[in-house]
Amino acid sequence: MTNTVLIVGASGIVGSATAERFAAEGWRVAGLARRPVEQQGVIPVAADLQDRGSLEAALKDLAPTHLVLATWQRRNTEAEMIRINGGMVETLLDVLRPQASLRHAALVTGLKHYLGPFEAYGKGTLPQTPFREDQGRLPVENFYYAQEDALFAAAERDGFSWSVHRPHTIIGKAVGNAMNMGTTLACYATLCREKGEPFVFPGSAMQWNGLTDMTDAALLARQLLWACTEQSAQNLAFNVVNGDVFRWSWMWGRIADWFGIEAAPFDGTHRPLEPRMAGDGPLWAEIAARHGLAEPDLTKLASPWHTDADLGRPIEVVTDMSRSRRLGFTAYQPTDDAFFTLFERLRADRLIP
């Protein structure tokens, strides 16, 4: 019997990479989004997670054996984030319940499990790094915890297994994504080249000098596939990063070289990206028109606020992957190669010149 995976958030960074991976492995893949994009080998499912009626209509004949939850919606307060995002998971799993077809559900969250939500990000007493999966929850409200609780309750009620996946900052391609450092840096580098300005690191001295890691979307997709098919991975939470560590003092020059621009020396001054890119929309539109780019709206490509949050952290963040390594997941991806592969794809898809 062919496995059917329903990927929720299929148009995003994680969802699109995951759909591609599962389809390549011969799965029947359905991709749910409010506005599905065309993907080879993926059945588009248009539905709104906040509209139970639309979910029931869209999913009534699908009967998925596996589920990947890779979406969330941003709100102004954590209380609203909890209400919306926890509620979406609860509603979806409730809608799927009558079919009794689900065998495993995988939820993608992230390192805010350890770092805290947007309102308290990187503040207070945090767990010791490297972050490990057996470190408990922080004593603060967090929409990731609400999503987990909805998943755990449904799994216990309906008898399917689950896994939770916690990537660090994700490198991958998606247009209109709310958290997209790779494409943001590609746009920033392109603008620096256009204006003849040096490529200035926008983060903190701690991030410049300290160790960090990241997660390639394709590697995360491989872990999701593994967890859906590996018996020993059931009912566990996993960190997922590329497997290397680096310092931005090294990576920044690598990225600058790829774009053929000068990396400015870092003098220790924190220069956030969001205010510096705030007025670049018209220039990007000019660049797009001149080079025939597919997306002239800079706001649909770049998310400087999120890049600032990661690169501005005053703490060193590295992630331990011992749990999945012990169980046999050994995939590895050099982070500089992940950036370069993304940049090449953005260029091939006419998203950067």
Side-chain angles (χ1 to χ4, degrees), residues 105-123:
L107 171 67
V108 179
T109 61
L111 293 196
K112 286 190 288 296
H113 181 91
Y114 310 106
L115 285 162
F118 291 116
E119 292 180 2
Y121 188 67
K123 300 175 183 177

Side-chain angles (χ1 to χ4, degrees), residues 93 147-160 162:
L93 291 169
Q147 289 181 309
E148 287 183 344
D149 288 343
L151 173 64
F152 300 159
E156 183 174 2
R157 178 192 70 196
D158 298 335
F160 58 83
W162 56 266

Side-chain angles (χ1 to χ4, degrees), residues 164-248:
V164 175
H165 303 260
R166 299 169 185 158
H168 197 171
T169 304
I170 297 171
I171 302 170
K173 182 206 164 189
V175 176
N177 193 271
M179 300 192 298
N180 193 336
M181 181 189 284
T183 305
T184 298
L185 293 181
C187 292
Y188 173 50
T190 299
L191 288 162
C192 286
R193 186 175 59 202
E194 179 73 16
K195 293 186 282 189
E197 296 178 355
F199 194 46
V200 174
F201 182 69
S204 67
M206 173 60 77
Q207 294 305 306
W208 180 257
N209 295 310
L211 291 172
T212 193
D213 48 30
M214 295 184 73
T215 305
D216 183 69
L219 183 134
L220 172 54
R222 292 172 68 181
Q223 193 191 65
L224 287 162
L225 177 63
W226 168 81
C228 283
T229 55
E230 173 57 50
Q231 186 73 21
S232 66
Q234 293 186 358
N235 304 328
L236 290 171
F238 299 103
N239 293 333
V240 51
V241 286
N242 289 336
D244 62 349
V245 293
F246 65 92
R247 303 180 200 276
W248 279 104

Side-chain angles (χ1 to χ4, degrees), residues 86-105:
M88 291 193 304
V89 174
E90 184 176 348
T91 299
L92 174 66
L93 291 169
D94 198 43
V95 167
L96 291 175
R97 185 183 189 190
Q99 301 178 40
S101 60
L102 197 60
R103 300 203 299 266
H104 185 88

Side-chain angles (χ1 to χ4, degrees), residues 7-90:
I7 299 174
V8 180
S11 60
I13 289 178
V14 175
S16 59
T18 302
E20 184 176 330
R21 167 57 61 175
F22 276 76
E25 295 293 327
W27 287 53
R28 180 173 178 247
V29 180
L32 187 151
R34 281 176 293 177
R35 292 175 294 276
V37 297
E38 184 177 347
Q39 291 177 268
Q40 185 174 0
V42 179
I43 303 165
V45 178
D48 185 342
L49 290 174
Q50 294 186 64
D51 183 344
R52 185 186 180 99
S54 78
L55 280 174
E56 289 175 338
L59 299 175
K60 62 183 176 65
D61 298 321
L62 188 64
T65 57
H66 295 74
L67 172 68
V68 173
L69 289 154
T71 189
W72 64 282
Q73 291 190 23
R74 191 181 182 197
R75 291 294 187 270
N76 291 330
T77 68
E78 194 61 24
E80 275 294 289
M81 296 274 282
I82 289 168
R83 183 182 69 82
I84 294 294
N85 292 288
M88 291 193 304
V89 174
E90 184 176 348

